[in-house]
Amino acid sequence: MSKVYGVVLIGCGHIGQEHIENIYYRDNIKIVGVVDYVLERAELFSRKYSCGEKVLYSTDHKEMIARDDVDIVIVATYVNTHLQILKDCLAAGKHVLCEKPIASTVEEGKEFYDLVKASDRKVLVAHILRHNDTYTKAAELIHQGLIGDVRLIRMVQNHHIMNRERYAALLNDCSPIVDCGVHYIDVVKWFTGCDIVSVDGMGAVVNEENVPEGGFDYGMISMRLSNGGMAYYEAGWTNSTASQNIKEFVGTKGRIRLVLRDFREEHKEEGDLLEVYDDATKNYSFINIHAQYKNMNAQLQTLIDMIEHDTDGFPTMDDAFEAFCVALEADEKIRRGIKKYWEMKSLKK
Ligand SMILES: NC(=O)c1ccc[n+]([C@@H]2O[C@H](COP(=O)([O-])OP(=O)(O)OC[C@H]3O[C@@H](n4cnc5c(N)ncnc54)[C@H](O)[C@@H]3O)[C@@H](O)[C@H]2O)c1
C-alpha cells in the first residue's frame, strides 16, 4: 500500500480552496490541519473538508507544522509571507508546495532559492501550468519540432475586474506582471528551451483607486530569446479592459494557438482547443483537450514523486527562480517608467 501523506494547508483563501478541493479525498492524502489568520476561514475549511477524521484548524502555522503526522505543507498565503513560512517549514523538517511568486523582492527571492538549494527537504513552487494537460501537449508538440524553431510568442492575460476588493488586495502585494507573469515567463523557457537574454516593459495606471502609489494595474513586457526570437506578455487587472486570453506560439514551420475552453466561440463542451497551422501544407489541424485548468492534485503528486524518487520536479527551483528574476526585472523597469505619472499626480495635490 502506498504511503499516506499528512498535509497542512496554510492560507484558506481563493487558491487555498482550489488546492484542498482537489486533494482532500485522495487515498494517499490525509489533511491533518488548515491554518488561516482569520480563524473563521480555517474553521470553515475544517468543517467542509473533514473526511473521516476531523481536520484540525488554527491561526498559528508553527503549532500545526510541528506535528509528527505532517509530511507536506501547502503554502497558499500572501506573497510577503512565503519566505518566513518556508523557513519555518524547513526548520520543522517538512516538504513544501509553495504558491508563486516565491517572494516580493529580489533579495527575499534569493534567500528563498538558497534555502531550498541547501535543504534536504523537497520544495515545489506552484507553477500550475506545468501540470496542465493542454500546456503539456503544446510543449510536447513544440519539442517534437512540429512548428520548427519558435521565433515569436504572443501571450495576453487581461482581466476585467468585477471584484475590486480582491484585485486591490492583490495589487497591494505585487503587480500582475509578477503575480501572473511568472507562470508565462516560465512557459517561454519550458516551451522553447531558450534563455531569456533581456527583458523590457511598459505599464499604465488605468484605475488609480485600485493601485498603491508607485504601482500600475496594466503592464506589457517584451523578452528577447537566446535563439534571436521574442516573446511578449500583457497583463492587466482593470475595471475597464476586456477579459482576453491569447496564447500563440509561432515557429519557422507553423503555429500553435491555444484557446482555453472559456474563450472558445463554440464547442466549449470539447474542452480546450489546440489549433495547429502547418505552413508547408497550409493546413490546420485541431486537438481538443479535456484539461483541468488548475490540476492541484497532479501538482501535489509531482511533489510526492520528488520525495519518493529524489527528483527535482518541474519546474525545478532554478526554473522558478529564473522566471521570478525576469518578472522582477520587468516590474522594476515598468515602475521606473511610471514614476513620472506618480510625480505629476503628487504635484497636482
Ligand atoms: N497558481 C495560481 O494560479 C494562483 C492563483 C491565484 C493566486 N495565487 C497565489 O496564491 C497566493 C494567495 O493568493 P489568493 O488569491 O489565494 O489570496 P487570498 O487573499 O484569497 O487568500 C490568502 C489567505 O491567506 C491567509 N493568510 C495570509 N497570510 C497568512 C499567514 N501568514 N498565516 C495564515 N494565513 C495567512 C489570508 O487570511 C487569506 O485567507 C498568492 O501568492 C497568489 O499569487 C496563485
Side-chain angles (χ1 to χ4, degrees), residues 11 13-15 36-37 41 76-79 81-82 99-101 166 179 183 294:
H14 167 75
I15 206 70
D36 201 288
Y37 277 154
R41 286 188 199 155
T77 55
Y78 307 137
V79 182
T81 65
H82 291 175
E99 267 307 331
K100 44 45 62 179
R166 172 167 143 70
D179 187 88
H183 286 302
K294 294 190 178 174

mmCIF file with all atom_site columns, all heavy atoms in Angstrom, residues 11 13-15 36-37 41 76-79 81-82 99-101 166 179 183 294, ligand 1:
data_model
loop_
_atom_site.group_PDB
_atom_site.id
_atom_site.type_symbol
_atom_site.label_atom_id
_atom_site.label_alt_id
_atom_site.label_comp_id
_atom_site.label_asym_id
_atom_site.label_entity_id
_atom_site.label_seq_id
_atom_site.pdbx_PDB_ins_code
_atom_site.Cartn_x
_atom_site.Cartn_y
_atom_site.Cartn_z
_atom_site.occupancy
_atom_site.B_iso_or_equiv
_atom_site.pdbx_formal_charge
_atom_site.auth_seq_id
_atom_site.auth_comp_id
_atom_site.auth_asym_id
_atom_site.auth_atom_id
_atom_site.pdbx_PDB_model_num
ATOM   1   N N   . GLY A 1 11  ? -3.354  29.114 4.616   1.00 0.00 ? 11  GLY A N   1
ATOM   2   C CA  . GLY A 1 11  ? -3.984  30.102 3.715   1.00 0.00 ? 11  GLY A CA  1
ATOM   3   C C   . GLY A 1 11  ? -5.269  29.520 3.146   1.00 0.00 ? 11  GLY A C   1
ATOM   4   O O   . GLY A 1 11  ? -5.237  28.737 2.188   1.00 0.00 ? 11  GLY A O   1
ATOM   5   N N   . GLY A 1 13  ? -7.775  30.878 1.471   1.00 0.00 ? 13  GLY A N   1
ATOM   6   C CA  . GLY A 1 13  ? -8.395  31.877 0.597   1.00 0.00 ? 13  GLY A CA  1
ATOM   7   C C   . GLY A 1 13  ? -8.722  31.247 -0.749  1.00 0.00 ? 13  GLY A C   1
ATOM   8   O O   . GLY A 1 13  ? -8.994  30.043 -0.857  1.00 0.00 ? 13  GLY A O   1
ATOM   9   N N   . HIS A 1 14  ? -8.632  32.082 -1.783  1.00 0.00 ? 14  HIS A N   1
ATOM   10  C CA  . HIS A 1 14  ? -9.019  31.687 -3.131  1.00 0.00 ? 14  HIS A CA  1
ATOM   11  C C   . HIS A 1 14  ? -8.247  30.447 -3.627  1.00 0.00 ? 14  HIS A C   1
ATOM   12  O O   . HIS A 1 14  ? -8.841  29.430 -3.984  1.00 0.00 ? 14  HIS A O   1
ATOM   13  C CB  . HIS A 1 14  ? -8.793  32.898 -4.045  1.00 0.00 ? 14  HIS A CB  1
ATOM   14  C CG  . HIS A 1 14  ? -8.836  32.590 -5.484  1.00 0.00 ? 14  HIS A CG  1
ATOM   15  N ND1 . HIS A 1 14  ? -10.005 32.357 -6.141  1.00 0.00 ? 14  HIS A ND1 1
ATOM   16  C CD2 . HIS A 1 14  ? -7.850  32.460 -6.403  1.00 0.00 ? 14  HIS A CD2 1
ATOM   17  C CE1 . HIS A 1 14  ? -9.742  32.090 -7.403  1.00 0.00 ? 14  HIS A CE1 1
ATOM   18  N NE2 . HIS A 1 14  ? -8.448  32.149 -7.585  1.00 0.00 ? 14  HIS A NE2 1
ATOM   19  N N   . ILE A 1 15  ? -6.923  30.530 -3.612  1.00 0.00 ? 15  ILE A N   1
ATOM   20  C CA  . ILE A 1 15  ? -6.154  29.421 -4.196  1.00 0.00 ? 15  ILE A CA  1
ATOM   21  C C   . ILE A 1 15  ? -6.042  28.251 -3.213  1.00 0.00 ? 15  ILE A C   1
ATOM   22  O O   . ILE A 1 15  ? -5.951  27.091 -3.624  1.00 0.00 ? 15  ILE A O   1
ATOM   23  C CB  . ILE A 1 15  ? -4.768  29.904 -4.713  1.00 0.00 ? 15  ILE A CB  1
ATOM   24  C CG1 . ILE A 1 15  ? -4.276  28.992 -5.847  1.00 0.00 ? 15  ILE A CG1 1
ATOM   25  C CG2 . ILE A 1 15  ? -3.741  29.994 -3.624  1.00 0.00 ? 15  ILE A CG2 1
ATOM   26  C CD1 . ILE A 1 15  ? -5.046  29.115 -7.120  1.00 0.00 ? 15  ILE A CD1 1
ATOM   27  N N   . ASP A 1 36  ? -5.342  29.653 8.988   1.00 0.00 ? 36  ASP A N   1
ATOM   28  C CA  . ASP A 1 36  ? -5.537  30.984 8.401   1.00 0.00 ? 36  ASP A CA  1
ATOM   29  C C   . ASP A 1 36  ? -5.509  32.007 9.532   1.00 0.00 ? 36  ASP A C   1
ATOM   30  O O   . ASP A 1 36  ? -5.950  31.710 10.650  1.00 0.00 ? 36  ASP A O   1
ATOM   31  C CB  . ASP A 1 36  ? -6.870  31.080 7.630   1.00 0.00 ? 36  ASP A CB  1
ATOM   32  C CG  . ASP A 1 36  ? -6.865  32.210 6.615   1.00 0.00 ? 36  ASP A CG  1
ATOM   33  O OD1 . ASP A 1 36  ? -6.912  33.393 7.035   1.00 0.00 ? 36  ASP A OD1 1
ATOM   34  O OD2 . ASP A 1 36  ? -6.764  31.930 5.418   1.00 0.00 ? 36  ASP A OD2 1
ATOM   35  N N   . TYR A 1 37  ? -4.968  33.188 9.208   1.00 0.00 ? 37  TYR A N   1
ATOM   36  C CA  . TYR A 1 37  ? -5.016  34.313 10.157  1.00 0.00 ? 37  TYR A CA  1
ATOM   37  C C   . TYR A 1 37  ? -6.428  34.519 10.664  1.00 0.00 ? 37  TYR A C   1
ATOM   38  O O   . TYR A 1 37  ? -6.653  34.901 11.801  1.00 0.00 ? 37  TYR A O   1
ATOM   39  C CB  . TYR A 1 37  ? -4.695  35.619 9.405   1.00 0.00 ? 37  TYR A CB  1
ATOM   40  C CG  . TYR A 1 37  ? -3.267  35.959 9.195   1.00 0.00 ? 37  TYR A CG  1
ATOM   41  C CD1 . TYR A 1 37  ? -2.911  36.772 8.100   1.00 0.00 ? 37  TYR A CD1 1
ATOM   42  C CD2 . TYR A 1 37  ? -2.275  35.564 10.068  1.00 0.00 ? 37  TYR A CD2 1
ATOM   43  C CE1 . TYR A 1 37  ? -1.613  37.156 7.877   1.00 0.00 ? 37  TYR A CE1 1
ATOM   44  C CE2 . TYR A 1 37  ? -0.956  35.943 9.843   1.00 0.00 ? 37  TYR A CE2 1
ATOM   45  C CZ  . TYR A 1 37  ? -0.640  36.733 8.761   1.00 0.00 ? 37  TYR A CZ  1
ATOM   46  O OH  . TYR A 1 37  ? 0.632   37.117 8.537   1.00 0.00 ? 37  TYR A OH  1
ATOM   47  N N   . ARG A 1 41  ? -12.202 31.377 8.684   1.00 0.00 ? 41  ARG A N   1
ATOM   48  C CA  . ARG A 1 41  ? -11.918 30.736 7.383   1.00 0.00 ? 41  ARG A CA  1
ATOM   49  C C   . ARG A 1 41  ? -11.343 29.333 7.610   1.00 0.00 ? 41  ARG A C   1
ATOM   50  O O   . ARG A 1 41  ? -11.716 28.380 6.937   1.00 0.00 ? 41  ARG A O   1
ATOM   51  C CB  . ARG A 1 41  ? -10.907 31.565 6.589   1.00 0.00 ? 41  ARG A CB  1
ATOM   52  C CG  . ARG A 1 41  ? -11.525 32.802 6.033   1.00 0.00 ? 41  ARG A CG  1
ATOM   53  C CD  . ARG A 1 41  ? -10.571 33.525 5.085   1.00 0.00 ? 41  ARG A CD  1
ATOM   54  N NE  . ARG A 1 41  ? -11.039 34.890 4.949   1.00 0.00 ? 41  ARG A NE  1
ATOM   55  C CZ  . ARG A 1 41  ? -10.299 35.932 4.628   1.00 0.00 ? 41  ARG A CZ  1
ATOM   56  N NH1 . ARG A 1 41  ? -9.011  35.771 4.386   1.00 0.00 ? 41  ARG A NH1 1
ATOM   57  N NH2 . ARG A 1 41  ? -10.813 37.122 4.540   1.00 0.00 ? 41  ARG A NH2 1
ATOM   58  N N   . ALA A 1 76  ? -0.331  28.775 0.801   1.00 0.00 ? 76  ALA A N   1
ATOM   59  C CA  . ALA A 1 76  ? -1.220  29.499 -0.129  1.00 0.00 ? 76  ALA A CA  1
ATOM   60  C C   . ALA A 1 76  ? -1.593  30.840 0.499   1.00 0.00 ? 76  ALA A C   1
ATOM   61  O O   . ALA A 1 76  ? -2.759  31.239 0.500   1.00 0.00 ? 76  ALA A O   1
ATOM   62  C CB  . ALA A 1 76  ? -2.450  28.654 -0.433  1.00 0.00 ? 76  ALA A CB  1
ATOM   63  N N   . THR A 1 77  ? -0.582  31.516 1.033   1.00 0.00 ? 77  THR A N   1
ATOM   64  C CA  . THR A 1 77  ? -0.780  32.793 1.728   1.00 0.00 ? 77  THR A CA  1
ATOM   65  C C   . THR A 1 77  ? -0.275  33.940 0.850   1.00 0.00 ? 77  THR A C   1
ATOM   66  O O   . THR A 1 77  ? 0.203   33.724 -0.262  1.00 0.00 ? 77  THR A O   1
ATOM   67  C CB  . THR A 1 77  ? 0.017   32.785 3.041   1.00 0.00 ? 77  THR A CB  1
ATOM   68  O OG1 . THR A 1 77  ? 1.386   32.498 2.720   1.00 0.00 ? 77  THR A OG1 1
ATOM   69  C CG2 . THR A 1 77  ? -0.499  31.732 3.999   1.00 0.00 ? 77  THR A CG2 1
ATOM   70  N N   . TYR A 1 78  ? -0.330  35.169 1.411   1.00 0.00 ? 78  TYR A N   1
ATOM   71  C CA  . TYR A 1 78  ? 0.158   36.331 0.678   1.00 0.00 ? 78  TYR A CA  1
ATOM   72  C C   . TYR A 1 78  ? 1.652   36.190 0.381   1.00 0.00 ? 78  TYR A C   1
ATOM   73  O O   . TYR A 1 78  ? 2.398   35.598 1.170   1.00 0.00 ? 78  TYR A O   1
ATOM   74  C CB  . TYR A 1 78  ? -0.067  37.614 1.481   1.00 0.00 ? 78  TYR A CB  1
ATOM   75  C CG  . TYR A 1 78  ? -1.491  37.800 1.939   1.00 0.00 ? 78  TYR A CG  1
ATOM   76  C CD1 . TYR A 1 78  ? -1.773  38.242 3.226   1.00 0.00 ? 78  TYR A CD1 1
ATOM   77  C CD2 . TYR A 1 78  ? -2.550  37.535 1.079   1.00 0.00 ? 78  TYR A CD2 1
ATOM   78  C CE1 . TYR A 1 78  ? -3.085  38.409 3.645   1.00 0.00 ? 78  TYR A CE1 1
ATOM   79  C CE2 . TYR A 1 78  ? -3.862  37.700 1.498   1.00 0.00 ? 78  TYR A CE2 1
ATOM   80  C CZ  . TYR A 1 78  ? -4.128  38.133 2.788   1.00 0.00 ? 78  TYR A CZ  1
ATOM   81  O OH  . TYR A 1 78  ? -5.419  38.284 3.194   1.00 0.00 ? 78  TYR A OH  1
ATOM   82  N N   . VAL A 1 79  ? 2.050   36.796 -0.736  1.00 0.00 ? 79  VAL A N   1
ATOM   83  C CA  . VAL A 1 79  ? 3.431   36.678 -1.223  1.00 0.00 ? 79  VAL A CA  1
ATOM   84  C C   . VAL A 1 79  ? 4.466   37.049 -0.153  1.00 0.00 ? 79  VAL A C   1
ATOM   85  O O   . VAL A 1 79  ? 5.464   36.346 0.024   1.00 0.00 ? 79  VAL A O   1
ATOM   86  C CB  . VAL A 1 79  ? 3.642   37.613 -2.442  1.00 0.00 ? 79  VAL A CB  1
ATOM   87  C CG1 . VAL A 1 79  ? 5.032   37.485 -2.995  1.00 0.00 ? 79  VAL A CG1 1
ATOM   88  C CG2 . VAL A 1 79  ? 2.615   37.333 -3.501  1.00 0.00 ? 79  VAL A CG2 1
ATOM   89  N N   . THR A 1 81  ? 4.582   36.642 2.828   1.00 0.00 ? 81  THR A N   1
ATOM   90  C CA  . THR A 1 81  ? 4.724   35.710 3.964   1.00 0.00 ? 81  THR A CA  1
ATOM   91  C C   . THR A 1 81  ? 5.431   34.417 3.551   1.00 0.00 ? 81  THR A C   1
ATOM   92  O O   . THR A 1 81  ? 5.757   33.591 4.403   1.00 0.00 ? 81  THR A O   1
ATOM   93  C CB  . THR A 1 81  ? 3.333   35.328 4.534   1.00 0.00 ? 81  THR A CB  1
ATOM   94  O OG1 . THR A 1 81  ? 2.616   34.587 3.534   1.00 0.00 ? 81  THR A OG1 1
ATOM   95  C CG2 . THR A 1 81  ? 2.519   36.537 4.926   1.00 0.00 ? 81  THR A CG2 1
ATOM   96  N N   . HIS A 1 82  ? 5.651   34.224 2.242   1.00 0.00 ? 82  HIS A N   1
ATOM   97  C CA  . HIS A 1 82  ? 6.155   32.927 1.763   1.00 0.00 ? 82  HIS A CA  1
ATOM   98  C C   . HIS A 1 82  ? 7.525   32.576 2.344   1.00 0.00 ? 82  HIS A C   1
ATOM   99  O O   . HIS A 1 82  ? 7.754   31.439 2.765   1.00 0.00 ? 82  HIS A O   1
ATOM   100 C CB  . HIS A 1 82  ? 6.222   32.907 0.222   1.00 0.00 ? 82  HIS A CB  1
ATOM   101 C CG  . HIS A 1 82  ? 4.869   32.916 -0.429  1.00 0.00 ? 82  HIS A CG  1
ATOM   102 N ND1 . HIS A 1 82  ? 4.686   33.010 -1.781  1.00 0.00 ? 82  HIS A ND1 1
ATOM   103 C CD2 . HIS A 1 82  ? 3.613   32.849 0.093   1.00 0.00 ? 82  HIS A CD2 1
ATOM   104 C CE1 . HIS A 1 82  ? 3.385   32.987 -2.066  1.00 0.00 ? 82  HIS A CE1 1
ATOM   105 N NE2 . HIS A 1 82  ? 2.728   32.905 -0.942  1.00 0.00 ? 82  HIS A NE2 1
ATOM   106 N N   . GLU A 1 99  ? 2.984   28.432 -3.129  1.00 0.00 ? 99  GLU A N   1
ATOM   107 C CA  . GLU A 1 99  ? 2.433   29.233 -4.219  1.00 0.00 ? 99  GLU A CA  1
ATOM   108 C C   . GLU A 1 99  ? 3.468   30.225 -4.748  1.00 0.00 ? 99  GLU A C   1
ATOM   109 O O   . GLU A 1 99  ? 4.348   30.673 -4.028  1.00 0.00 ? 99  GLU A O   1
ATOM   110 C CB  . GLU A 1 99  ? 1.180   29.992 -3.738  1.00 0.00 ? 99  GLU A CB  1
ATOM   111 C CG  . GLU A 1 99  ? -0.122  29.254 -3.999  1.00 0.00 ? 99  GLU A CG  1
ATOM   112 C CD  . GLU A 1 99  ? -0.301  28.817 -5.452  1.00 0.00 ? 99  GLU A CD  1
ATOM   113 O OE1 . GLU A 1 99  ? 0.227   29.471 -6.358  1.00 0.00 ? 99  GLU A OE1 1
ATOM   114 O OE2 . GLU A 1 99  ? -0.978  27.806 -5.682  1.00 0.00 ? 99  GLU A OE2 1
ATOM   115 N N   . LYS A 1 100 ? 3.356   30.530 -6.020  1.00 0.00 ? 100 LYS A N   1
ATOM   116 C CA  . LYS A 1 100 ? 4.179   31.567 -6.631  1.00 0.00 ? 100 LYS A CA  1
ATOM   117 C C   . LYS A 1 100 ? 3.559   32.914 -6.327  1.00 0.00 ? 100 LYS A C   1
ATOM   118 O O   . LYS A 1 100 ? 2.386   32.921 -5.937  1.00 0.00 ? 100 LYS A O   1
ATOM   119 C CB  . LYS A 1 100 ? 4.302   31.365 -8.137  1.00 0.00 ? 100 LYS A CB  1
ATOM   120 C CG  . LYS A 1 100 ? 3.068   31.014 -8.928  1.00 0.00 ? 100 LYS A CG  1
ATOM   121 C CD  . LYS A 1 100 ? 1.765   31.683 -8.769  1.00 0.00 ? 100 LYS A CD  1
ATOM   122 C CE  . LYS A 1 100 ? 1.619   33.133 -9.052  1.00 0.00 ? 100 LYS A CE  1
ATOM   123 N NZ  . LYS A 1 100 ? 0.253   33.671 -8.873  1.00 0.00 ? 100 LYS A NZ  1
ATOM   124 N N   . PRO A 1 101 ? 4.203   34.045 -6.531  1.00 0.00 ? 101 PRO A N   1
ATOM   125 C CA  . PRO A 1 101 ? 5.647   34.154 -6.666  1.00 0.00 ? 101 PRO A CA  1
ATOM   126 C C   . PRO A 1 101 ? 6.321   33.846 -5.327  1.00 0.00 ? 101 PRO A C   1
ATOM   127 O O   . PRO A 1 101 ? 5.697   33.991 -4.281  1.00 0.00 ? 101 PRO A O   1
ATOM   128 C CB  . PRO A 1 101 ? 5.852   35.616 -7.050  1.00 0.00 ? 101 PRO A CB  1
ATOM   129 C CG  . PRO A 1 101 ? 4.536   36.301 -6.979  1.00 0.00 ? 101 PRO A CG  1
ATOM   130 C CD  . PRO A 1 101 ? 3.502   35.329 -6.564  1.00 0.00 ? 101 PRO A CD  1
ATOM   131 N N   . ARG A 1 166 ? -10.834 42.314 -4.072  1.00 0.00 ? 166 ARG A N   1
ATOM   132 C CA  . ARG A 1 166 ? -9.869  41.215 -4.232  1.00 0.00 ? 166 ARG A CA  1
ATOM   133 C C   . ARG A 1 166 ? -8.655  41.683 -5.048  1.00 0.00 ? 166 ARG A C   1
ATOM   134 O O   . ARG A 1 166 ? -7.519  41.451 -4.673  1.00 0.00 ? 166 ARG A O   1
ATOM   135 C CB  . ARG A 1 166 ? -10.550 40.020 -4.919  1.00 0.00 ? 166 ARG A CB  1
ATOM   136 C CG  . ARG A 1 166 ? -9.598  38.914 -5.305  1.00 0.00 ? 166 ARG A CG  1
ATOM   137 C CD  . ARG A 1 166 ? -10.332 37.629 -5.674  1.00 0.00 ? 166 ARG A CD  1
ATOM   138 N NE  . ARG A 1 166 ? -9.704  36.923 -6.767  1.00 0.00 ? 166 ARG A NE  1
ATOM   139 C CZ  . ARG A 1 166 ? -8.543  36.296 -6.713  1.00 0.00 ? 166 ARG A CZ  1
ATOM   140 N NH1 . ARG A 1 166 ? -7.860  36.265 -5.616  1.00 0.00 ? 166 ARG A NH1 1
ATOM   141 N NH2 . ARG A 1 166 ? -8.040  35.694 -7.774  1.00 0.00 ? 166 ARG A NH2 1
ATOM   142 N N   . ASP A 1 179 ? 2.772   38.709 -10.458 1.00 0.00 ? 179 ASP A N   1
ATOM   143 C CA  . ASP A 1 179 ? 1.855   37.697 -9.920  1.00 0.00 ? 179 ASP A CA  1
ATOM   144 C C   . ASP A 1 179 ? 1.511   36.621 -10.955 1.00 0.00 ? 179 ASP A C   1
ATOM   145 O O   . ASP A 1 179 ? 1.667   35.425 -10.691 1.00 0.00 ? 179 ASP A O   1
ATOM   146 C CB  . ASP A 1 179 ? 0.580   38.375 -9.414  1.00 0.00 ? 179 ASP A CB  1
ATOM   147 C CG  . ASP A 1 179 ? -0.318  37.398 -8.691  1.00 0.00 ? 179 ASP A CG  1
ATOM   148 O OD1 . ASP A 1 179 ? -0.136  37.223 -7.481  1.00 0.00 ? 179 ASP A OD1 1
ATOM   149 O OD2 . ASP A 1 179 ? -1.190  36.785 -9.341  1.00 0.00 ? 179 ASP A OD2 1
ATOM   150 N N   . HIS A 1 183 ? 4.247   32.683 -14.281 1.00 0.00 ? 183 HIS A N   1
ATOM   151 C CA  . HIS A 1 183 ? 3.768   31.470 -14.974 1.00 0.00 ? 183 HIS A CA  1
ATOM   152 C C   . HIS A 1 183 ? 4.198   31.487 -16.443 1.00 0.00 ? 183 HIS A C   1
ATOM   153 O O   . HIS A 1 183 ? 4.662   30.491 -16.989 1.00 0.00 ? 183 HIS A O   1
ATOM   154 C CB  . HIS A 1 183 ? 2.234   31.422 -14.997 1.00 0.00 ? 183 HIS A CB  1
ATOM   155 C CG  . HIS A 1 183 ? 1.597   31.070 -13.693 1.00 0.00 ? 183 HIS A CG  1
ATOM   156 N ND1 . HIS A 1 183 ? 1.863   29.910 -13.028 1.00 0.00 ? 183 HIS A ND1 1
ATOM   157 C CD2 . HIS A 1 183 ? 0.675   31.730 -12.945 1.00 0.00 ? 183 HIS A CD2 1
ATOM   158 C CE1 . HIS A 1 183 ? 1.138   29.855 -11.920 1.00 0.00 ? 183 HIS A CE1 1
ATOM   159 N NE2 . HIS A 1 183 ? 0.411   30.955 -11.845 1.00 0.00 ? 183 HIS A NE2 1
ATOM   160 N N   . LYS A 1 294 ? -6.577  24.066 -13.375 1.00 0.00 ? 294 LYS A N   1
ATOM   161 C CA  . LYS A 1 294 ? -5.636  24.047 -12.243 1.00 0.00 ? 294 LYS A CA  1
ATOM   162 C C   . LYS A 1 294 ? -5.657  22.668 -11.611 1.00 0.00 ? 294 LYS A C   1
ATOM   163 O O   . LYS A 1 294 ? -6.471  22.402 -10.728 1.00 0.00 ? 294 LYS A O   1
ATOM   164 C CB  . LYS A 1 294 ? -6.005  25.132 -11.242 1.00 0.00 ? 294 LYS A CB  1
ATOM   165 C CG  . LYS A 1 294 ? -5.821  26.506 -11.847 1.00 0.00 ? 294 LYS A CG  1
ATOM   166 C CD  . LYS A 1 294 ? -5.926  27.646 -10.885 1.00 0.00 ? 294 LYS A CD  1
ATOM   167 C CE  . LYS A 1 294 ? -5.668  28.931 -11.659 1.00 0.00 ? 294 LYS A CE  1
ATOM   168 N NZ  . LYS A 1 294 ? -5.863  30.133 -10.901 1.00 0.00 ? 294 LYS A NZ  1
HETATM 169 N N1  . LIG B 2 .   ? -1.312  29.377 -9.067  1.00 0.00 ? 1   LIG B N1  1
HETATM 170 C C1  . LIG B 2 .   ? -2.333  30.164 -9.347  1.00 0.00 ? 1   LIG B C1  1
HETATM 171 O O1  . LIG B 2 .   ? -2.992  30.009 -10.351 1.00 0.00 ? 1   LIG B O1  1
HETATM 172 C C2  . LIG B 2 .   ? -2.701  31.237 -8.366  1.00 0.00 ? 1   LIG B C2  1
HETATM 173 C C3  . LIG B 2 .   ? -3.929  31.895 -8.496  1.00 0.00 ? 1   LIG B C3  1
HETATM 174 C C4  . LIG B 2 .   ? -4.269  32.856 -7.525  1.00 0.00 ? 1   LIG B C4  1
HETATM 175 C C5  . LIG B 2 .   ? -3.365  33.158 -6.515  1.00 0.00 ? 1   LIG B C5  1
HETATM 176 N N2  . LIG B 2 .   ? -2.156  32.518 -6.444  1.00 0.00 ? 1   LIG B N2  1
HETATM 177 C C6  . LIG B 2 .   ? -1.166  32.840 -5.405  1.00 0.00 ? 1   LIG B C6  1
HETATM 178 O O2  . LIG B 2 .   ? -1.632  32.293 -4.169  1.00 0.00 ? 1   LIG B O2  1
HETATM 179 C C7  . LIG B 2 .   ? -1.291  33.159 -3.086  1.00 0.00 ? 1   LIG B C7  1
HETATM 180 C C8  . LIG B 2 .   ? -2.562  33.539 -2.336  1.00 0.00 ? 1   LIG B C8  1
HETATM 181 O O3  . LIG B 2 .   ? -3.449  34.222 -3.206  1.00 0.00 ? 1   LIG B O3  1
HETATM 182 P P1  . LIG B 2 .   ? -5.032  34.153 -3.023  1.00 0.00 ? 1   LIG B P1  1
HETATM 183 O O4  . LIG B 2 .   ? -5.614  34.746 -4.247  1.00 0.00 ? 1   LIG B O4  1
HETATM 184 O O5  . LIG B 2 .   ? -5.459  32.790 -2.603  1.00 0.00 ? 1   LIG B O5  1
HETATM 185 O O6  . LIG B 2 .   ? -5.229  35.169 -1.792  1.00 0.00 ? 1   LIG B O6  1
HETATM 186 P P2  . LIG B 2 .   ? -6.445  35.231 -0.780  1.00 0.00 ? 1   LIG B P2  1
HETATM 187 O O7  . LIG B 2 .   ? -6.410  36.587 -0.159  1.00 0.00 ? 1   LIG B O7  1
HETATM 188 O O8  . LIG B 2 .   ? -7.710  34.770 -1.413  1.00 0.00 ? 1   LIG B O8  1
HETATM 189 O O9  . LIG B 2 .   ? -6.070  34.144 0.340   1.00 0.00 ? 1   LIG B O9  1
HETATM 190 C C9  . LIG B 2 .   ? -4.945  34.212 1.153   1.00 0.00 ? 1   LIG B C9  1
HETATM 191 C C10 . LIG B 2 .   ? -5.337  33.680 2.537   1.00 0.00 ? 1   LIG B C10 1
HETATM 192 O O10 . LIG B 2 .   ? -4.146  33.507 3.303   1.00 0.00 ? 1   LIG B O10 1
HETATM 193 C C11 . LIG B 2 .   ? -4.381  33.987 4.622   1.00 0.00 ? 1   LIG B C11 1
HETATM 194 N N3  . LIG B 2 .   ? -3.055  34.335 5.159   1.00 0.00 ? 1   LIG B N3  1
HETATM 195 C C12 . LIG B 2 .   ? -2.185  35.220 4.663   1.00 0.00 ? 1   LIG B C12 1
HETATM 196 N N4  . LIG B 2 .   ? -1.030  35.194 5.352   1.00 0.00 ? 1   LIG B N4  1
HETATM 197 C C13 . LIG B 2 .   ? -1.183  34.242 6.292   1.00 0.00 ? 1   LIG B C13 1
HETATM 198 C C14 . LIG B 2 .   ? -0.330  33.716 7.307   1.00 0.00 ? 1   LIG B C14 1
HETATM 199 N N5  . LIG B 2 .   ? 0.918   34.148 7.481   1.00 0.00 ? 1   LIG B N5  1
HETATM 200 N N6  . LIG B 2 .   ? -0.829  32.742 8.118   1.00 0.00 ? 1   LIG B N6  1
HETATM 201 C C15 . LIG B 2 .   ? -2.079  32.298 7.946   1.00 0.00 ? 1   LIG B C15 1
HETATM 202 N N7  . LIG B 2 .   ? -2.919  32.748 6.999   1.00 0.00 ? 1   LIG B N7  1
HETATM 203 C C16 . LIG B 2 .   ? -2.484  33.700 6.188   1.00 0.00 ? 1   LIG B C16 1
HETATM 204 C C17 . LIG B 2 .   ? -5.337  35.145 4.449   1.00 0.00 ? 1   LIG B C17 1
HETATM 205 O O11 . LIG B 2 .   ? -6.043  35.425 5.657   1.00 0.00 ? 1   LIG B O11 1
HETATM 206 C C18 . LIG B 2 .   ? -6.234  34.635 3.326   1.00 0.00 ? 1   LIG B C18 1
HETATM 207 O O12 . LIG B 2 .   ? -7.345  33.914 3.821   1.00 0.00 ? 1   LIG B O12 1
HETATM 208 C C19 . LIG B 2 .   ? -0.544  34.343 -3.721  1.00 0.00 ? 1   LIG B C19 1
HETATM 209 O O13 . LIG B 2 .   ? 0.838   34.079 -3.672  1.00 0.00 ? 1   LIG B O13 1
HETATM 210 C C20 . LIG B 2 .   ? -1.038  34.336 -5.162  1.00 0.00 ? 1   LIG B C20 1
HETATM 211 O O14 . LIG B 2 .   ? -0.112  34.900 -6.067  1.00 0.00 ? 1   LIG B O14 1
HETATM 212 C C21 . LIG B 2 .   ? -1.837  31.566 -7.346  1.00 0.00 ? 1   LIG B C21 1
#
